[in-house]
Amino acid sequence: MKYLACLGIPLLLQAVLTLIFSQAASGGSFVGLGALLMALFGMPLTLVISFALIRSRPEQTLVAHFNRSFMLGLILPGLQFSLLIAASIGRW
């Protein structure tokens, strides 16, 4: 249950937000491609790091592991959102 909650929910969040950010930049922009390429490397990297953090401290509670994995999982959508903002400012 610990691995499902701590790895699955942040992964699902990243996948949904990647889909949203890739579709938000319409009109043939390369921003959607950039968001997908970030996800290509960022999502597996996030899973590996979260798995290693869970394995390194097995005595912590599920909530502590989930909070850490969730915060780590927000880095990729933050980078994708900043790419979308930078592209929007560039077009302005």
Side-chain angles (χ1 to χ4, degrees), residues 12-26:
L12 183 64
L13 172 77
Q14 286 179 340
V16 168
L17 288 176
T18 297
L19 179 66
I20 290 170
F21 292 143
S22 66
Q23 297 299 316
S26 61

Side-chain angles (χ1 to χ4, degrees), residues 21-80:
F21 292 143
S22 66
Q23 297 299 316
S26 61
S29 174
F30 284 102
V31 177
L33 178 63
L36 290 174
L37 287 176
M38 278 186 195
L40 180 69
F41 296 108
M43 290 170 72
L45 185 64
T46 303
L47 283 175
V48 169
I49 292 171
S50 293
F51 182 76
L53 288 173
I54 292 169
R55 295 283 291 189
S56 69
R57 301 207 177 207
E59 70 276 356
Q60 287 186 342
T61 63
L62 175 67
V63 175
H65 284 301
F66 180 76
N67 288 338
R68 191 171 16 168
S69 295
F70 190 76
M71 289 301 184
L72 182 66
L74 288 178
I75 294 173
L76 178 66
L79 290 172
Q80 291 171 337

